[in-house]
Amino acid sequence: MAITTSDLERFISDFEQRMAPLERELDEAWWNLATSGTDEAREEFVRAGTEYNGLFSDQNEYRNLRNWYENLDVLEGPLLQRQVEVLYRVFAERQGDEEILGRIEELEAEANAIYGNHRSVVRGREMGENEVRELLRTSADQDLRRETWEASKTVGRAVEGTVRELASLRNRLAREQGYENYYVRSLELQEIEADELARIMGRLESETDAPFRELKEGIDAKLKPTFGVDTVMPWHLSGPFFHRAPDIAGIDLDRNFEGKDLVDLTRKTFDALGLDVRGVISTSDLYEREGKSQHAFCARIGREYPYDVRVLANIRPDAYWMDAMLHEFGHAVYDRHVNPRLPYLLRTCAHANTTEAIALMMGALVDDTGWLRSVAGADRETLNEVSERLASHRRADRMILTRFVLIMYHFEQALYADPDNGGLNSVWWDLVERFLFVDRPPGRNEPDWAAVIHVAVAPVYYHNYMLGELISAQLRNYLESHITHGPFYENEVAGRYLLESFFGPGARENWRDTVLRATGELLNPEYFVKSLT
Ligand SMILES: [Zn+2]
């Protein structure tokens, strides 16, 4: 029996009513878990997750929705069509055996707790992630570096079994829905075309191959004499994953933030754009504390207006945390400025990659000479002296990020092709060698891939950082050449433009159309590629 459009409208509005309180509870539970790490918070998170997932378990509703989704053209009005698209995808992500869905919730919470509570033990002393990063950035003591690097990887072994089980269960659900595996299903439900993504990744690989090789040779040439070695090992590089460029040019970006109030600088940055973040700051949790998640993220608690948006961070007065603060508050201003008159289901960002684009565009200000001068109040003379080195450092950082994304892109495909693959440790290191030109330590056979938290709790997500970078470069170019005719971050007009053409429309359009509307053209990797050379 066919249902009418007005039945559909009624169904959607009833559904919103049921969804809103459960979504809010789940968001709140996630926040409480991340800020406390207690067993009670974890149980509550699992409970709220199960209840939320229960919203999508009615097979009749799913079948009807799917029917509408497959016949979008008959629906009147783009808003109704878009709501069906969005809601269908949320349903599709949560189809399957209730026991398996519950088990996945449990395992994800378990993995989160393992990462959250993990401390690297070096010479009998426990180190948090901030300390590990600091040591790998600054220490000249090779043995201590190696031990710290190895200790930081032990979380991989602790969580490996959980991650493999998660991947198998995710695959099982995806296959029951007729997909080849969870990876393939995720791309489709994220509205990402696998072929297009493969083309973009292939292009980024070939565009960065030669310049990255040159960059890596330069880094090695600097590090070898520093450490007195013939071969540069992973622990000689910056950070546990070689995520970022080591400061071989002696820029010392951190000195710009010594003794500075990062919250104040964040507020000033967004004030200059005419975007008020005081409300977000007041509900955020920004400093290190026992038991709290060691990462940084932005959380939106429900979608009722006035919006409740919070940031979790573990601030120290350095460049890493300045970047993180600008990044997370970039997510926050997006969430805060979605038009509240949109239907509930569309009151969110267009896509993970559009919100990453804003976050990345803001985070990148941390090594932007103009921003350092005008907002961070860095010393003019020192800046002039290092401005060229800063620019090449920024290019190096982007290039390394690109190469790391390529590792994740290929690794997760291998993981979901076969989660029980006994050779995954080696698959990971093959990719590290291929893309980052970092040799595996002789004889190493550890699940270092599982030390990357995304593999467990934000699966098939990393490409969104890359697409975010591409969109960010394209958007900044558009803003500065068409809207502000100068640095976007000094101009309230840029803030207004973002508000009206990027944040406000929320999920009314998909990410492709959002990019098209805001920049006048479809996604074009050219702007990012140009910024690398
Ligand atoms: Zn982000």
Side-chain angles (χ1 to χ4, degrees):
M1 189 182 66
I3 59 169
T4 64
T5 304
S6 65
D7 286 338
L8 173 64
E9 281 169 337
R10 203 168 319 113
F11 166 68
I12 288 179
S13 93
D14 285 351
F15 195 82
E16 290 169 355
Q17 304 274 333
R18 282 188 278 147
M19 182 175 175
L22 297 186
E23 182 167 54
R24 171 174 287 273
E25 271 175 37
L26 179 59
D27 293 344
E28 191 90 53
W30 160 244
W31 176 261
N32 291 338
L33 175 60
T35 50
S36 75
T38 62
D39 288 342
E40 293 80 18
R42 188 161 69 170
E43 279 161 27
E44 170 57 16
F45 177 64
V46 171
R47 187 206 61 77
T50 309
E51 204 172 341
Y52 178 77
N53 284 337
L55 280 169
F56 310 97
S57 59
D58 188 314
Q59 290 307 297
N60 265 332
E61 290 179 354
Y62 177 56
R63 256 194 308 275
N64 282 335
L65 203 52
R66 190 186 179 123
N67 199 24
W68 285 114
Y69 176 74
E70 283 161 359
N71 297 285
L72 280 182
D73 313 348
V74 307
L75 297 178
E76 251 172 70
L79 276 185
L80 188 59
Q81 290 182 3
R82 188 66 189 147
Q83 287 177 84
V84 169
E85 277 186 312
V86 168
L87 188 56
Y88 167 71
R89 290 200 177 87
V90 187
F91 259 88
E93 265 171 23
R94 289 167 179 78
Q95 289 311 297
D97 183 77
E98 251 170 69
E99 224 167 278
I100 298 180
L101 287 165
R103 179 74 185 140
I104 289 177
E105 289 291 323
E106 247 171 59
L107 289 169
E108 285 180 351
E110 192 178 298
N112 260 315
I114 297 174
Y115 291 108
N117 298 327
H118 179 259
R119 295 292 178 276
S120 303
V121 182
V122 182
R123 299 182 185 173
R125 207 171 67 80
E126 290 194 346
M127 295 168 82
E129 283 181 30
N130 262 339
E131 267 184 286
V132 167
R133 210 162 27 234
E134 185 85 10
L135 190 138
L136 290 175
R137 215 160 43 90
T138 55
S139 173
D141 181 339
Q142 286 205 65
D143 291 332
L144 186 58
R145 291 184 75 95
R146 184 179 45 75
E147 288 169 43
T148 305
W149 182 86
E150 281 172 354
S152 77
K153 301 294 178 197
T154 54
V155 69
R157 200 186 282 189
V159 81
E160 175 191 6
T162 311
V163 179
R164 284 188 194 263
E165 189 181 345
L166 267 170
S168 299
L169 293 177
R170 287 170 182 152
N171 269 352
R172 217 165 114 187
L173 295 182
R175 287 185 179 135
E176 279 166 13
Q177 284 175 289
Y179 292 99
E180 188 186 327
N181 60 39
Y182 178 79
Y183 191 92
V184 175
R185 188 190 81 155
S186 297
L187 287 190
E188 183 168 320
L189 295 183
Q190 290 177 32
E191 304 186 278
I192 307 263
E193 281 170 29
D195 290 347
E196 184 189 13
L197 187 62
R199 259 197 316 279
I200 291 173
M201 292 296 179
R203 169 152 185 216
L204 291 171
E205 178 179 353
S206 62
E207 296 268 9
T208 54
D209 245 338
F212 180 75
R213 186 172 297 277
E214 199 182 307
L215 170 72
K216 179 64 168 53
E217 279 166 7
I219 291 171
D220 287 357
K222 203 84 179 186
L223 294 180
K224 282 179 192 170
T226 305
F227 292 109
V229 293
D230 295 329
T231 314
V232 170
M233 300 307 288
W235 48 86
H236 293 128
L237 296 156
S238 48
F241 294 106
F242 188 30
H243 255 153
R244 308 173 95 85
D247 184 12
I248 52 168
I251 302 162
D252 190 14
L253 207 49
D254 287 339
R255 94 182 124 190
N256 299 307
F257 305 104
E258 257 165 41
K260 293 272 172 74
D261 179 350
L262 267 49
V263 177
D264 192 49
L265 289 179
T266 303
R267 188 181 44 71
K268 267 169 75 180
T269 305
F270 287 93
D271 272 353
L273 286 165
L275 300 169
D276 187 7
V277 291
R278 285 166 185 77
V280 180
I281 291 172
S282 70
T283 50
S284 289
D285 186 326
L286 300 174
Y287 298 98
E288 282 179 275
R289 206 180 52 244
E290 193 63 35
K292 162 180 170 181
S293 157
Q294 301 177 76
H295 301 107
F297 62 81
C298 171
R300 184 200 59 187
I301 314 295
R303 320 184 190 189
E304 284 127 334
Y305 196 77
Y307 297 130
D308 180 355
V309 181
R310 310 171 188 174
V311 168
L312 179 140
N314 291 274
I315 299 178
R316 289 182 173 196
D318 59 25
Y320 176 89
W321 281 105
M322 189 73 252
D323 183 339
M325 283 290 282
L326 295 172
H327 181 108
E328 301 310 336
F329 277 82
H331 286 303
V333 288
Y334 196 161
D335 285 339
R336 285 272 283 197
H337 291 99
V338 168
N339 182 353
R341 281 190 288 273
L342 282 169
Y344 183 87
L345 291 168
L346 306 184
R347 240 178 274 156
T348 183
C349 51
H351 195 277
N353 62 32
T354 59
T355 185
E356 287 307 339
I358 301 299
L360 291 162
M361 187 168 83
M362 295 310 298
L365 293 177
V366 75
D367 56 10
D368 188 295
T369 322
W371 179 85
L372 281 165
R373 197 184 301 123
S374 70
V375 183
D379 178 57
R380 221 165 255 272
E381 257 171 56
T382 348
L383 273 183
N384 288 341
E385 203 184 292
V386 298
S387 82
E388 216 145 278
R389 278 178 283 157
L390 258 178
S392 76
H393 181 75
R394 182 161 57 237
R395 283 195 295 274
D397 245 358
R398 301 247 159 93
M399 209 127 60
I400 291 171
L401 171 86
T402 304
R403 307 293 286 188
F404 191 78
V405 170
L406 287 165
I407 294 176
M408 291 291 287
Y409 170 67
H410 289 283
F411 180 79
E412 285 195 294
Q413 290 182 59
L415 171 65
Y416 288 101
D418 178 14
D420 300 321
N421 179 350
L424 280 179
N425 299 352
S426 171
V427 169
W428 174 258
W429 276 103
D430 288 346
L431 291 167
V432 174
E433 288 175 350
R434 171 175 159 201
F435 289 111
L436 287 176
F437 309 141
V438 176
D439 292 341
R440 76 193 73 195
R444 186 160 183 90
N445 183 20
E446 292 291 324
D448 295 330
W449 49 273
V452 184
I453 185 169
H454 290 75
V455 174
V457 300
V460 195
Y461 186 86
Y462 237 84
H463 56 269
N464 286 319
Y465 292 120
M466 200 69 251
L467 295 174
E469 286 281 359
L470 306 188
I471 296 169
S472 162
Q474 184 172 334
L475 181 62
R476 181 165 177 174
N477 177 276
Y478 183 83
L479 283 173
E480 298 189 335
S481 52
H482 292 87
I483 306 293
T484 57
H485 305 286
F488 82 97
Y489 50 82
E490 288 172 352
N491 203 323
E492 286 196 17
V493 178
R496 267 208 301 283
Y497 184 80
L498 289 173
L499 211 150
E500 275 164 26
S501 56
F502 213 86
F503 305 161
R508 203 178 69 194
E509 287 161 349
N510 63 36
W511 68 270
R512 275 169 230 280
D513 291 338
T514 301
V515 171
L516 173 62
R517 184 168 27 72
T519 69
E521 62 179 319
L522 287 168
L523 179 69
N524 180 355
E526 201 57 40
Y527 299 100
F528 177 78
V529 168
K530 253 196 307 203
S531 77
L532 294 178
T533 51

